[in-house]
Amino acid sequence: MRMYDLINKKKKGEALTKEEIEFMITGYTNGEIPDYQMSAMMMAICFQGMNDEETLNLTLAMRDSGDVLDLSEIEGIKVDKHSTGGVGDKTSLVLAPMVAALGIPVAKMSGRGLGHTGGTIDKLECFPGFSTSLTEEQFYQNVNQVKMAIMGQTANLAPADKKLYALRDVTATVDQLSLIASSIMSKKLAAGADAIVLDVKTGNGAFMKTEEDAVALAKEMVKIGKNAGKKMAAVVTDMDQPLGNAVGNVLEVKEAILALNGLGPKDFMEVVYALGTQMVLFAEKAKTEEEARAMLEETIKNKTALDKFAEFVEAQGGEKRFVYQPEILPRAGIVMEVINTEEGYVSKIKAEEIGLASLVLGGGRATKESKIDLTVGVLLNKKRGDKVKMGDVLATIFANDMEKAKEAYAKIVCAYEVQQEEPNPVPMIKGILK
């Protein structure tokens, strides 16, 4: 088998076999197939596409290029959730303890933030001593005992995807549906859960800018997961404004704790409940969506989700007192208010600009090597649909550098759009695909 022949075959629009895809992925991962040949293949796929069988085989070949977790030591139906990334997305910090409080095992692998989207691990490291560097044995033990654990992705989880994504990133071959879906799903399938709920975001702050593209990606990923023998659902959610009010690591942790105390922002909780409902149904703890949601709401009312979060933080080396006293978490030295200059209603908040403002402040990574400041970020005082007067505070900046704060201010002012008439409400949940 020669890579040249496979490139030629795909260039002509023919389907690659399972054996050909495995040969290609194994050879590239091992360094036997050079970058220039794989670049040519990626471009051929961008022009010619892949059918369902090819997409599944590509996903499985990337999954099998490294470690695949065997979660059989964990009792019960293991559920996982994955977000395609957004601004202010602290969903896992609230969702996982709510689901775990119902006795459902949540075995989750998470990453760090890159660019304007935040990472769950960075947020959790706001708790002194907290670690996601667990051995597989510790991970299994924690899920069995606490019902939830979050560990960092192992270096050998879908290494083919890491290598391939780096190549696609510099050869303008990122935005092909089969390649995006197989990249995400190879990692999720390697993480070993029985059921996967996807939060596919759409809008200004999301990877998929249009609802049509987000639905197409959701369908593709659900199809891959089902064909691989997993229970699958995708919830398409709005990311045309930041989720909740807080953007930035410590700020988002504080908002997550507020949510666990029953004081979460409405838009944020809507997404949490939509995702959680699917997870509870997959775990066979409820028969209807109404019953599943009521069970989740009860974990907030009776504080079992809050206590579960504290138990989880402690089990992974963190100090749980910060969960019950979030006001003692570290805070930034500079607080600056962004003032409104026109009357009307907030019609739009460009999520990406708010994310970039947090990045400018030092709350995100421009590169994988960047060091982040956990205390900086933006708190949105006004959201889409809110009535505003001259002099109202639109947002509050938390910074440790005055020049960076001024730069963030300029971005936030540009992110807000105010109009005279009240805008129509935008649904947070665009659709649920199974």
Side-chain angles (χ1 to χ4, degrees), residues 87-352:
V87 180
D89 186 7
K90 72 287 293 178
T91 311
S92 292
L93 304 186
V94 179
L95 178 62
M98 286 168 73
V99 172
L102 295 172
I104 300 166
V106 182
K108 185 157 178 50
M109 276 197 173
S110 288
R112 295 187 181 279
L114 188 58
H116 71 276
T117 60
T120 300
I121 289 177
D122 297 317
K123 297 178 185 46
L124 287 168
E125 286 178 351
C126 294
F127 296 103
F130 187 94
S131 173
T132 52
S133 301
L134 304 175
T135 64
E136 283 185 27
E137 290 68 33
Q138 286 172 318
F139 183 63
Y140 303 148
Q141 190 181 347
N142 279 17
V143 180
N144 273 329
Q145 289 176 359
V146 183
K147 290 299 173 199
M148 69 175 283
I150 296 178
M151 71 187 281
Q153 288 178 359
T154 66
N156 206 34
L157 190 84
D161 173 61
K162 286 191 187 76
K163 194 171 179 186
L164 206 50
Y165 190 86
L167 182 75
R168 287 166 55 215
D169 199 29
V170 293
T171 56
T173 54
V174 167
D175 60 349
Q176 200 278 334
L177 200 61
S178 291
L179 297 178
I180 297 167
S182 59
S183 171
I184 293 169
M185 289 305 295
S186 64
K187 295 189 285 285
K188 282 289 114 186
L189 294 177
D194 303 312
I196 302 164
V197 179
L198 302 164
D199 179 1
V200 182
K201 300 202 173 292
T202 180
N204 171 269
F207 182 57
M208 290 299 184
K209 303 294 181 196
T210 69
E211 195 175 326
E212 186 185 6
D213 286 347
V215 168
L217 176 61
K219 282 181 179 170
E220 193 77 18
M221 291 193 292
V222 166
K223 207 184 302 171
I224 291 170
K226 281 184 167 178
N227 287 338
K230 304 292 183 185
K231 294 181 177 184
M232 292 292 304
V235 182
V236 180
T237 65
D238 178 70
M239 188 35 75
D240 235 6
Q241 67 172 348
L243 188 59
N245 303 327
V247 179
N249 295 285
V250 163
L251 296 176
E252 289 185 45
V253 166
K254 287 181 176 178
E255 184 160 90
I257 293 168
L258 276 177
L260 289 167
N261 278 291
L263 301 168
K266 188 173 176 290
D267 63 332
F268 172 60
M269 292 311 293
E270 214 175 312
V271 172
V272 169
Y273 284 127
L275 296 166
T277 295
Q278 299 306 317
M279 293 168 85
V280 174
L281 289 172
F282 281 152
E284 297 171 8
K285 293 280 183 180
K287 287 189 170 61
T288 66
E289 290 194 354
E290 293 74 20
E291 187 188 351
R293 179 164 175 142
M295 290 168 75
L296 290 163
E297 287 174 350
E298 188 57 31
T299 70
I300 297 292
K301 284 183 197 141
N302 64 20
K303 296 288 200 290
T304 52
L306 179 71
D307 292 339
K308 182 58 69 179
F309 187 53
E311 186 187 356
F312 152 72
V313 167
E314 188 173 51
Q316 295 196 205
E319 294 182 41
K320 72 175 183 182
R321 66 192 174 102
F322 288 90
V323 174
Y324 297 111
Q325 296 173 273
E327 66 279 1
I328 63 174
L329 282 162
R331 52 179 290 156
I334 298 166
V335 179
M336 183 187 286
E337 293 178 338
V338 179
I339 305 300
N340 179 47
T341 55
E342 52 187 317
E343 300 250 342
Y345 295 86
V346 176
S347 59
K348 193 175 182 65
I349 307 172
K350 294 173 190 159
E352 193 168 354

